[in-house]
């Protein structure tokens, strides 16, 4: 596996953990493809615009997020599947852990954008 590509996709995932990115439409639009879809932990399917609207409304409350056990698999020449574990930490509350998967696609301009994401709570 190409470690440079792995590191690049991991960095993109980590950017989506950054509250500044999560609260800035232009930054989100560089990372999320217009045809993006997400299946939330409730089982609900979210569209590109619904996710952007939800992220823009998130409060800057000191929440931190960490990513571990990151791996990618090439699905096609310009498509990769990223899988990892995440931990969301809010001061004074127990951490929330999830197993996550994302599909990233490289566009004609060479930029990688997420087209699909799913997070499943880890028990």
């Amino acid at each position: 596996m190409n470690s440079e590509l792995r590191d690049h996709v991991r960095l993109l995932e980590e950017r989506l953990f950054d509250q500044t990115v999560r609260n800035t439409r232009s930054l989100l639009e560089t990372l999320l493809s217009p045809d993006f879809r997400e299946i939330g932990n409730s089982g609900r399917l979210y569209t590109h615009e619904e996710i952007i609207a939800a992220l823009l409304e998130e409060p800057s409350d000191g929440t931190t997020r960490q990513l571990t056990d990151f791996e990618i698999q090439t699905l096609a020449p310009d498509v990769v599947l990223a899988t990892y574990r995440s931990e969301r930490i809010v001061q004074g509350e127990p951490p929330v852990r999830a197993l996550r998967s994302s599909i990233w696609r490289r566009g004609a301009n060479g930029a990688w954008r997420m087209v699909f994401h799913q997070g499943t709570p880890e028990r």
Side-chain angles (χ1 to χ4, degrees):
M1 180 56 56
N2 180 336
S3 64
E4 185 176 311
L5 176 57
R6 179 188 169 281
D7 292 347
H8 180 68
V9 173
R10 181 182 176 128
L11 177 65
L12 295 174
E13 288 279 0
E14 289 173 334
R15 286 194 65 211
L16 286 165
F17 283 9
D18 182 313
Q19 199 62 49
T20 300
V21 172
R22 295 170 80 86
N23 293 146
T24 308
R25 176 177 283 278
S26 62
L27 296 175
L28 289 168
E29 289 177 345
T30 65
L31 295 168
L32 303 177
S33 177
D35 58 346
F36 173 83
R37 297 292 180 268
E38 177 171 333
I39 298 174
N41 63 14
S42 66
R44 181 173 174 227
L45 179 65
Y46 295 89
T47 65
H48 175 263
E49 190 54 41
E50 289 171 325
I51 285 297
I52 287 182
L55 292 173
L56 292 174
E57 291 177 8
E58 276 188 353
S60 297
D61 61 2
T63 298
T64 59
R65 294 171 176 83
Q66 297 176 348
L67 176 154
T68 60
D69 302 327
F70 187 83
E71 298 179 10
I72 63 169
Q73 293 177 316
T74 301
L75 302 178
D78 291 322
V79 180
V80 298
L81 168 67
T83 57
Y84 59 95
R85 285 183 158 83
S86 70
E87 185 173 73
R88 183 172 53 90
I89 302 160
V90 177
Q91 190 171 357
E93 297 180 18
V96 176
R97 295 180 179 91
L99 300 172
R100 298 191 173 275
S101 60
S102 303
I103 297 176
W104 291 83
R105 179 177 58 214
R106 182 172 38 208
N109 65 356
W112 288 90
R113 293 169 88 183
M114 187 184 287
V115 295
F116 177 79
H117 182 77
Q118 181 168 0
T120 303
E122 190 171 4
R123 305 275 179 237

